[in-house]
Amino acid sequence: MQKIAITEASAKQLADYAETVLGIEGVDYRLGKAKIEEKMRATMYDKDYIEVPDEEAPIQRIDPPVTPGARRMATIFIMNTDKAGGTEPVPVAVNGRQMFIPRNQEATVPWEYYHALNNAKSFSYRQGPNGELIYPPAEIHEYPFSLIREDPAPVVEKAA
């Protein structure tokens, strides 16, 4: 594998990297470098380079190394739904910063976005035979998802 600066990479290299390594669907080199880079940044890709394979080596998915003090992440899978927009990426905002999480594929997101998504719930009330509401209501996620992996919480040492 060799590293290439995003500014020096071709649109084809960026599109291949975005689709194979970052898992972004529908990326075509004909979109142009600026649009592809925009899609990469929307998935929180913050490096200024990409890794391209040598002639013979196939592209492999890169899992970021876990280092102490690194940002806590979670890997989730958001399912499609039969509601309007149920196949579109899910917008999740934390402290005024929004990201769009793709559906029907594994997505690694910062832990705070997973936490916000997990808290997005509605209440569903059932009715009894006389039309009265039956308590407690069922809590339902607005965007059904599965948690695949979650980084452990950082250990905070107490001062003696």
Side-chain angles (χ1 to χ4, degrees), residues 26-46:
V27 177
D28 190 345
Y29 70 94
R30 292 173 285 192
L31 289 172
K33 288 177 65 169
K35 288 282 187 190
I36 297 169
E37 187 177 346
E38 184 179 308
K39 287 181 177 266
M40 290 170 65
R41 299 285 179 221
T43 64
M44 305 298 281
Y45 186 76
D46 59 353

Side-chain angles (χ1 to χ4, degrees), residues 7 22 40 49 61-62 83 85 100 109 127 137 146 159:
T7 56
L22 300 177
M40 290 170 65
Y49 66 90
R61 188 175 197 96
I62 299 171
K83 293 181 182 178
F100 291 88
V109 298
Q127 287 188 341
S146 295

Side-chain angles (χ1 to χ4, degrees), residues 10-23:
S10 69
K12 173 105 172 83
Q13 289 171 323
L14 287 175
D16 289 346
Y17 187 83
E19 189 170 67
T20 353
V21 178
L22 300 177

Side-chain angles (χ1 to χ4, degrees), residues 13-159:
Q13 289 171 323
L14 287 175
D16 289 346
Y17 187 83
E19 189 170 67
T20 353
V21 178
L22 300 177
I24 304 171
E25 292 181 9
V27 177
D28 190 345
Y29 70 94
R30 292 173 285 192
L31 289 172
K33 288 177 65 169
K35 288 282 187 190
I36 297 169
E37 187 177 346
E38 184 179 308
K39 287 181 177 266
M40 290 170 65
R41 299 285 179 221
T43 64
M44 305 298 281
Y45 186 76
D46 59 353
K47 295 178 177 63
D48 61 350
Y49 66 90
I50 61 170
E51 291 186 15
V52 295
D54 297 330
E55 295 296 341
E56 304 101 36
I59 295 178
Q60 297 178 351
R61 188 175 197 96
I62 299 171
D63 289 326
V66 178
T67 56
R71 190 170 192 183
R72 188 174 178 193
M73 304 293 277
T75 303
I76 60 174
F77 185 93
I78 303 175
M79 288 69 94
N80 283 339
T81 63
D82 58 353
K83 293 181 182 178
T87 58
E88 298 295 318
V90 175
V92 180
V94 174
N95 294 333
R97 298 208 44 148
Q98 185 176 29
M99 74 179 297
F100 291 88
I101 304 173
R103 292 182 190 251
N104 260 12
Q105 67 185 30
E106 288 185 14
T108 301
V109 298
W111 186 85
E112 58 270 17
Y113 287 86
Y114 151 71
H115 188 66
L117 185 64
N118 192 35
N119 286 333
K121 297 178 183 173
S122 62
F123 296 98
S124 176
Y125 292 90
R126 294 178 294 142
Q127 287 188 341
N130 297 326
E132 74 278 5
L133 297 178
I134 299 176
Y135 290 94
E139 285 187 46
I140 301 171
H141 281 103
E142 287 292 323
Y143 304 100
F145 71 94
S146 295
L147 175 64
I148 297 169
R149 184 188 60 78
E150 177 183 2
D151 289 346
V155 176
V156 179
E157 296 180 19
K158 294 182 181 179

